[in-house]
Amino acid sequence: MKTPKARTIRPRGTPWILGLIGVLVLVPLALILPLAAVAAVSGLAIVGGALLWRRLSAFAVAQEVVSKEIGVLSQRLVKLEAVTAALIQSRMQDSATADGSARPPDEAVKALDARFNAGIEEVTAEIGILSGIVRELAAVVASQDGDIARLRVLAQAPQPKPVPQAAPEPIRPRPAPAAPPPPETEPVAPPMRLVPRTTLPAARPSDHFATDADAALLIEAFDGEGLEVFLQPVVTLPQRKVVAYEALARLKVGDAVYAPETFLPVLERHGRTTALDRRMLQRVATIARHLQGRGSPASVSYSLTPHSLFEPGFLRSLGRLVSEGPELAGRVVIALPQSSWRSLDAEQAALLAGLRGRIGFVMDRPIDLRFDPTALAERGITQVKVAAALLLRPLDREARPDVALEDLVTSLARAGIRLVATGVEAETEVPDLIDLDVPLAQGGVFAAPRAVRSEVLSASPEAAPPPPPSPDPPPSPPPQRRPFRDFLRRAG
C-alpha cells in the first residue's frame, strides 16, 4: 500500500499570478487611463469572487461528507452501548441467580436502608444538640461582654458631668418607675439583635439588672405572674382597617413594666428565652381563639427569639399546639428574623415546612432589603415586616434591594407576600408609605399597644367566648383628619 504524501503548505498559484498582473499592469494603466484601470479592477474583483464562490462550494461538499461520516460513527456508538448494556444485564442476572440462596436482594436492600437511615438520624440529632449548645454559649458570652462594656461606660460617664446629683442616678438598683431614664444611659442601651420589633412605653434600662440580686428579682417575676401580653393592631393603608394583631411581651416587676429590650438579656443569661416563647405562644393561641369566637377574622402574630429554633423539640411542639385546636389554622402566626430564615438547616426547614397551612409565617427584623420573593414564598412566608425608617430613609449600597424601592412592594405581591411597615410613629410618614403602595402598617400613630385582660388569658378553650362588646383587643382607630398639605403631596 502506497503511503500518501503530506500536503505542503504553500501559496496557491492563481492568486499570486493575478496579484502580480494587477501590480505590473494596473499601476501604469491607472496613471495613463484611470477609467480603464477602474474597469480592470472591477474585472479582477469579479474573477476573485468567482474563485471564492468555487472554494466555498468545495467546502460545503466536504462538510456534507464529514457530517455523514459523523452520523455513521454515532450510530455505531449507539449500537455498541446497547450491546454493552445487554452484556452487563446478563452478567448481573447470572450473579443474582448464583447468590440467590444466600439472601434475597430485597431483604439486603431493606437492611442497608434501615442501617443507613438510623445512622443519619443519630448523627443529625447529635449535630442539632451540639449546634444548639454552641449557639447558646456564644449568646451568653456575647451578652456578658455587652454587660461588662456597659458597666465600664457607666463607671466613666459621671466623671465629666458637672452636676453631682446625676452621678448616682444610673446605678440606682430600683428607681421610681415614673421617673424618666437619665440621659447618660441612652447611648449604652443593649443591642437589639435578639429583640422583637416593638415600640413600647418608656422602660428602665437593663443596667439595673446587672447585679445578681436584681436579676433574681426579674427571674422571680418571670417565673411568677409577671409576664403580660400587649396587643398592637396592624392596619391597612390608606383605609386604616385592623386586619391583624401582634402580641408583645411585657414583664411586670413590682410596679414597673419592662419592655423586651430590658429583660431579654437577663433571660438569655439564664437560658429562659425558650420558656418565654412557649408561654407567649400559649397565650397567643388563647387570644386567637377568643377573636374567632367574637367573629373577628384577624390573626395574631408573635416574634420568636432565634435561640428557640435550636431548642430540641420546640418546633415539634408548635405542631401539637395547632393540632389541639384545628380552628386556629392560619390564625396563629410566628415571625422569625431575616438572619434566621437565611441560616435554617435541613431539619429546621423540614419541620417548618410541615407547619405550612396550619401556622402562618412572617419575616421581620431585616438587616437589608435584598429579598428573594420566590424563595420566601417557597418557605411559606406571607408577610415581610420592615421598619418604616428602612423604607423612607436613604440606605447603604449593601442594604438596598435588587429592584427599585418603588417596585419592591410589587415584586413581593407577585409572589403572594404583603409588606408591612412597622414603627410608624409620625403622621407625616403615612403619605410617603402610601406613595410606595405599602399595603399594611403598624405603629403608634395608628394605635398604641394595649394590655390583654387576665380574664381572656385565663379562659379555658371549652369556655364560651365573651360577647362582642368586650374591649379587649384595641378597636380600629377612628378616622383622623389629615392636613391639606399631605393631600397635595399624594396628588403631586
Side-chain angles (χ1 to χ4, degrees), residues 108-262:
V109 172
K110 290 180 180 178
L112 289 174
D113 290 341
R115 285 186 295 174
F116 184 69
N117 293 332
I120 288 178
E121 291 180 357
E122 183 178 357
V123 172
T124 303
E126 292 180 357
I127 290 175
I129 293 174
L130 290 175
S131 62
I133 294 174
V134 171
R135 289 178 180 272
E136 290 181 359
L137 180 61
V140 171
V141 172
S143 62
Q144 290 179 354
D145 292 341
D147 294 339
I148 293 174
R150 288 193 294 271
L151 289 176
R152 289 177 179 175
V153 173
L154 284 176
Q156 299 175 0
Q159 295 179 0
K161 292 289 180 179
V163 182
Q165 289 81 4
E169 190 65 19
I171 59 173
R172 236 180 240 171
R174 296 183 60 86
E184 58 267 23
T185 59
E186 293 179 358
V188 294
M192 297 293 290
R193 51 186 177 85
L194 298 178
V195 177
R197 205 187 5 75
T198 54
T199 53
L200 309 175
R204 298 186 304 179
S206 59
D207 294 330
H208 301 298
F209 299 101
T211 63
D212 294 339
D214 294 333
L217 292 176
L218 189 145
I219 296 298
E220 181 180 358
F222 175 75
D223 294 336
E225 301 296 331
L227 184 62
E228 297 182 354
V229 182
F230 280 56
L231 289 183
Q232 187 173 30
V234 178
V235 301
T236 61
L237 291 179
Q239 297 85 4
R240 304 195 181 196
K241 179 183 178 182
V242 177
V243 294
Y245 296 94
E246 181 178 5
L248 309 173
R250 297 289 189 278
L251 188 60
K252 186 175 182 181
V253 183
D255 297 332
V257 178
Y258 295 96
E261 57 264 25
T262 303

Side-chain angles (χ1 to χ4, degrees), residues 48 53 66 117-118 125 155 162 167 178 187 194 264 273 305 315 330 359 384 401 413 426 433 436 457 474 482:
W53 177 81
V66 171
N117 293 332
L194 298 178
L264 262 183
T273 54
T305 57
L315 293 178
I359 293 181
V384 173
L433 295 175
L436 294 176
L457 298 177
R482 293 187 289 271

